[in-house]
Amino acid sequence: MKKITAFFLTVCIITDSTAIAQSLEELQKQFNGYMAVFTTHGKNIELRFSKGTLAADITEQKELLVLDEKANGLFNRQTVYYGQFDQLKKLEAYTKAVTPDGVKKIQVENFKTQSSRSSGVFYDDVKEVNFDFPMVGKGSSCYMRAEHYLNDIHFMPPLYFFSYLPVQKFSYSITVPAGVELGYIIKNNNNQNIKVNSYKKGKTNYWEFTAENILPNTFYSDAPSATYYMPHVLLYIASYRDSDGKEQRVFSSLKDLYTWNYNFLQNVNQGKSEALQKLVDSLIQGVTSKVEKARRMYQWVQDHIKYVAFEEGLEGFIPREAADVYYKRYGDCKDMSSILTVMLKLADIDAYYTWIGTRSIPYKYNEVFLPLTDNHMICTAYIDGKWFFIDGTDPNCIFGFPSAFIQGKEALVAISKSEYQILNVPEVHEEQNLVVDSTFITIADEGITGRSSVYYHGYFGTDLMNDLQMRKGKDEKDYIRYKMGKASNKFLLGDYSIQKISPQERLINVKAEFEVPGYGKKIGDEYYINMNLEKFFTTQIIDTSKRKVSVETGYKYTIRQYTILEIPEVFNISYQPKDFMYNDELIEVNIRYQKSKSNIIVLQEIKQKVLYLQPESFPKWNMALQKLLGYYKEQLVLTKK
């Protein structure tokens, strides 16, 4: 492999118009169907000692070659990210545009800096610089070079080998001085696309990670984050020797990560707050059950402390004083953890600060003992022999439930300065997230009329309460029409009501009247009606020839629908569909008919049993859905007496 020198990745910019045409023709053929390609996409990271502290200079470079005129307006906009730990020192961008007078270099002059809206972590004050390449036409070459200074080597940047466009060559190089132990973890390199080369020159070690001709994956809105399945490399410093020759451990084990994390807790909430003690005493007065005490305190925080994210350097790691959160009435996830932990302890309940990664992060602590394994903080309590994962950032989460976005994740619980535990957050069972729908329908002159009463339990109730908080008036009515809609897109919502049956358990009941013009069909003396007013999974057959990534759902669930049709006296049932049953480890579907004197009741029960549908299960999933979709064509037939 060709060695890459520090600070510079060689980018060949061809200036001869004939050479451009030849290169363009070859790339158009190689990347047929794509309008542009990154010919170069990479970074050079040079670790060095600055005043006795290990830091890094990072040079990021990209070159985009436009293969089609239609690319103009689609790929002009580019973004560079930086933060307090990863400072942007210099940014240069230009287009080498093909014009009738030859190749012309046009500098980008308008750079717009703003807070990043894409940051999903609680500890980083990410900014973004946006700019547009000018004159992005066929044959144009768009070049960007950004110089960063990484002042804290705890945050070594991951190396991603995927993009939204094809990449002719990914090229990452790392320069490591003597006395520094660099570690790396390669993820999702199943096709062995990532090549690794290392060598030593003098006292300096060099690492190169490259990959060539990488095509973009198809984006799916219901897929987990790309780090679950796309190739990337996680870099970290295991240890280094300082100017005195003493070894400084960074991240050589999970113990190192825990020690680093715990340092941010040591000076927090050392004093006692009389105001918080009075609050706790008032909330638990007369209550003997520790579970009930914890529930009351959690719900007080949900009702009175507003979640506001803070991402400002190391302040993003340090929880604020519980008393300050109490007086200000707002805080981020760490602050919620702070006030919850203190309040629970004041009630003599064992409570602990806990780091956790949301489901957008695929890593486990014993495999990836780095700060990027978690992006969230909660409070964990141990009550009556059971662990409770208490997340104050969700104002409607049910006590005893983890927030939906941490189900199945590992939690790093801070027991003491030297003791921690890794706990697995449970996945809430499908029966606990339940919708029970009772719908009564009557045949009308033109279609059907009806009324529904729907009860929402578990995460369904949580979602409903969160959604309704943001909607009033017409927005609320439109939302209820969407939630209650069935039978066809001609559904017309009538009067409706919303009742919170049990606010503590987030049990909500929605009642609505409706009509559906044109639903059902009369042919002579017969009337045909499909009793499956809602048909589930109708758009979820998976194209296994294209999709190779898993399908993610927010939570497991059960939907139980009762559809009761009043049979007019002038009709008899001449055909009733047979019952349908299907059950495996992925889903369960039961559809059963029951006839009484004046009506017929159809129960449709759907159970979604997994959070992630893996590619190896796609054939079984498709087989189940094909059977169900075939059954959905069955209709009840009524004949005039």
Side-chain angles (χ1 to χ4, degrees):
M1 287 186 171
K2 185 176 180 180
K3 298 178 181 179
I4 303 177
T5 58
F7 286 116
F8 190 76
L9 294 170
T10 304
V11 179
C12 297
I13 301 175
I14 306 170
T15 57
D16 180 77
S17 60
T18 303
I20 288 177
Q22 291 173 345
S23 175
L24 180 64
E25 184 178 324
E26 292 171 357
L27 287 171
Q28 284 176 321
K29 184 177 180 179
Q30 182 179 356
F31 299 104
N32 184 36
Y34 294 98
M35 289 185 278
V37 58
F38 283 109
T39 54
T40 302
H41 195 300
K43 290 179 183 178
N44 172 252
I45 303 171
E46 184 182 18
L47 291 161
R48 61 181 177 83
F49 287 97
S50 175
K51 298 179 181 180
T53 301
L54 186 63
D57 292 310
I58 301 175
T59 303
E60 175 186 9
Q61 292 191 113
K62 296 179 185 178
E63 184 181 17
L64 178 73
L65 183 64
V66 181
L67 306 178
D68 193 307
E69 288 290 350
K70 295 177 182 177
N72 189 29
L74 296 176
F75 305 113
N76 304 58
R77 174 60 55 95
Q78 296 292 312
T79 303
V80 175
Y81 298 93
Y82 70 96
Q84 186 166 315
F85 305 119
D86 172 28
Q87 300 169 8
L88 182 63
K89 309 301 289 185
K90 183 179 180 181
L91 177 60
E92 178 188 17
Y94 58 82
T95 302
K96 284 211 164 184
V98 179
T99 72
D101 299 324
V103 178
K104 183 178 181 181
K105 182 177 178 180
I106 307 169
Q107 292 284 158
V108 174
E109 297 181 353
N110 185 18
F111 297 93
K112 183 179 179 181
T113 302
Q114 62 186 30
S115 296
S116 176
R117 297 178 182 178
S118 61
S119 175
V121 294
F122 73 86
Y123 54 79
D124 201 0
D125 58 338
V126 176
K127 303 289 184 183
E128 61 181 52
V129 181
N130 295 299
F131 60 91
D132 291 302
F133 285 117
M135 293 187 67
V136 177
K138 185 177 179 179
S140 298
S141 182
C142 305
Y143 179 79
M144 183 277 294
R145 184 176 190 272
E147 295 180 9
H148 300 256
Y149 175 65
L150 184 68
N151 58 31
D152 192 329
I153 47 84
H154 292 92
F155 305 108
M156 292 290 286
L159 311 178
Y160 295 115
F161 289 82
F162 56 91
S163 182
Y164 58 93
L165 285 171
V167 178
Q168 191 175 24
K169 185 170 184 179
F170 280 104
S171 185
Y172 297 99
S173 66
I174 301 95
T175 304
V176 185
V180 177
E181 183 183 353
L182 176 74
Y184 66 89
I185 303 166
I186 300 179
K187 305 292 290 185
N188 307 321
N189 193 30
N190 300 330
N191 296 326
Q192 301 298 307
N193 291 322
I194 301 174
K195 307 301 180 184
V196 183
N197 183 36
S198 64
Y199 58 94
K200 187 173 183 178
K201 188 175 181 180
K203 295 183 178 181
T204 303
N205 294 304
Y206 297 87
W207 294 86
E208 296 172 352
F209 300 86
T210 59
E212 296 182 354
N213 301 322
I214 304 299
L215 298 179
N217 267 32
T218 303
F219 170 77
Y220 297 96
S221 60
D222 59 355
S225 67
T227 48
Y228 275 82
Y229 54 90
M230 295 299 287
H232 58 286
V233 177
L234 306 175
L235 299 175
Y236 63 94
I237 306 301
S239 64
Y240 66 91
R241 294 196 176 276
D242 61 20
S243 56
D244 296 327
K246 184 178 179 181
E247 183 184 45
Q248 300 293 334
R249 294 166 63 94
V250 185
F251 294 130
S252 58
S253 68
L254 178 55
K255 182 180 178 181
D256 292 336
L257 173 63
Y258 180 73
T259 300
W260 184 75
N261 277 344
Y262 195 85
N263 284 335
F264 299 113
L265 304 180
Q266 290 195 102
N267 299 319
V268 178
N269 295 321
Q270 295 300 303
K272 188 173 181 179
S273 167
E274 292 185 8
L276 274 178
Q277 184 67 68
K278 289 180 180 178
L279 171 64
V280 170
D281 291 343
S282 68
L283 292 172
I284 66 174
Q285 185 177 10
V287 179
T288 57
S289 165
K290 285 191 175 183
V291 171
E292 181 57 29
K293 290 178 180 180
R295 184 197 313 275
R296 291 190 178 194
M297 287 181 277
Y298 179 46
Q299 290 174 348
W300 186 91
V301 170
Q302 288 178 300
D303 292 341
H304 294 85
I305 307 297
K306 183 179 180 181
Y307 173 69
V308 179
F310 293 99
E311 301 178 353
E312 186 65 35
L314 286 177
E315 288 187 16
F317 286 92
I318 305 170
R320 291 170 179 81
E321 294 288 328
D324 290 342
V325 180
Y326 169 74
Y327 285 117
K328 292 178 180 178
R329 292 292 203 267
Y330 63 83
D332 63 9
C333 63
K334 305 177 310 302
D335 305 334
M336 298 285 196
S337 302
S338 176
I339 192 169
L340 282 166
T341 301
V342 168
M343 289 176 68
L344 290 168
K345 285 182 176 180
L346 289 173
D348 197 29
I349 294 173
D350 295 329
Y352 309 96
Y353 296 98
T354 301
W355 297 273
I356 193 167
T358 63
R359 287 169 56 191
S360 64
I361 296 177
Y363 314 125
K364 294 188 175 182
Y365 282 106
N366 281 309
E367 297 172 357
V368 182
F369 31 82
L370 302 174
L372 49 74
T373 298
D374 49 56
N375 62 345
H376 192 42
M377 181 174 268
I378 62 172
C379 168
T380 300
Y382 190 67
I383 308 172
D384 298 339
K386 179 182 176 182
W387 289 100
F388 289 78
F389 301 93
I390 308 173
D391 187 349
T393 65
D394 186 342
N396 287 302
C397 190
I398 302 165
F399 180 78
F401 278 45
S403 46
F405 51 81
I406 63 172
Q407 291 179 93
K409 294 291 295 179
E410 287 187 341
L412 181 60
V413 183
I415 305 298
S416 67
K417 182 177 181 179
S418 59
E419 183 185 358
Y420 61 85
Q421 279 191 246
I422 296 178
L423 302 176
N424 290 313
V425 178
E427 298 176 3
V428 176
H429 193 270
E430 60 266 18
E431 287 284 357
Q432 292 180 271
N433 303 311
L434 174 65
V435 167
V436 180
D437 180 342
S438 299
T439 295
F440 299 82
I441 58 174
T442 302
I443 297 171
D445 290 337
E446 296 293 336
I448 60 173
T449 61
R451 54 188 171 86
S452 292
S453 177
V454 186
Y455 289 86
Y456 297 89
H457 305 248
Y459 288 134
F460 281 118
T462 296
D463 285 349
L464 189 64
M465 290 191 70
N466 284 332
D467 290 343
L468 288 173
Q469 280 184 331
M470 307 300 294
R471 292 172 169 86
K472 302 296 180 185
K474 184 179 182 300
D475 286 344
E476 180 187 270
K477 185 173 183 178
D478 290 343
Y479 176 72
I480 296 300
R481 182 186 296 113
Y482 160 74
K483 294 293 287 185
M484 303 296 281
K486 54 193 61 176
S488 85
N489 57 8
K490 296 180 180 179
F491 177 90
L492 300 175
L493 178 68
D495 293 336
Y496 69 89
S497 64
I498 303 168
Q499 184 180 6
K500 297 178 182 178
I501 304 298
S502 174
Q504 286 189 351
E505 300 301 326
R506 306 309 190 233
L507 174 57
I508 314 298
N509 175 239
V510 180
K511 293 180 180 178
E513 297 177 355
F514 65 89
E515 58 181 289
V516 186
Y519 192 74
K521 189 174 184 180
K522 293 179 181 178
I523 301 178
D525 291 338
E526 293 183 321
Y527 183 85
Y528 296 79
I529 183 168
N530 193 315
M531 293 293 289
N532 300 295
L533 300 188
E534 287 195 74
K535 299 175 180 64
F536 298 94
F537 308 124
T538 54
T539 61
Q540 295 186 29
I541 294 289
I542 298 170
D543 186 344
T544 56
S545 66
K546 294 181 179 179
R547 181 158 187 161
K548 307 300 179 185
V549 301
S550 59
V551 179
E552 180 181 18
T553 189
Y555 43 84
K556 304 172 187 177
Y557 59 82
T558 298
I559 297 175
R560 195 169 293 139
Q561 290 188 323
Y562 297 89
T563 303
I564 302 96
L565 170 66
E566 181 183 351
I567 302 174
E569 291 184 359
V570 296
F571 281 103
N572 283 325
I573 297 175
S574 58
Y575 177 75
Q576 174 182 307
K578 294 180 180 178
D579 292 348
F580 178 88
M581 289 177 287
Y582 182 88
N583 188 15
D584 63 22
E585 70 276 13
L586 306 174
I587 60 170
E588 180 178 349
V589 182
N590 290 291
I591 303 176
R592 297 194 295 271
Y593 283 74
Q594 180 181 342
K595 184 181 179 301
S596 69
K597 185 176 180 180
S598 59
N599 58 41
I600 187 162
I601 304 170
V602 180
L603 167 62
Q604 178 177 205
E605 184 175 69
I606 303 288
K607 292 186 179 182
Q608 170 81 39
K609 297 182 179 182
V610 293
L611 293 179
Y612 298 94
L613 181 63
Q614 304 297 346
E616 58 268 25
S617 298
F618 288 174
K620 178 178 282 190
W621 174 267
N622 284 347
M623 179 187 68
L625 265 57
Q626 285 164 356
K627 291 180 179 179
L628 176 61
L629 299 183
Y631 182 83
Y632 275 154
K633 297 176 183 178
E634 291 282 322
Q635 299 189 71
L636 181 73
V637 182
L638 305 178
T639 304
K640 278 190 176 181
K641 295 178 181 178

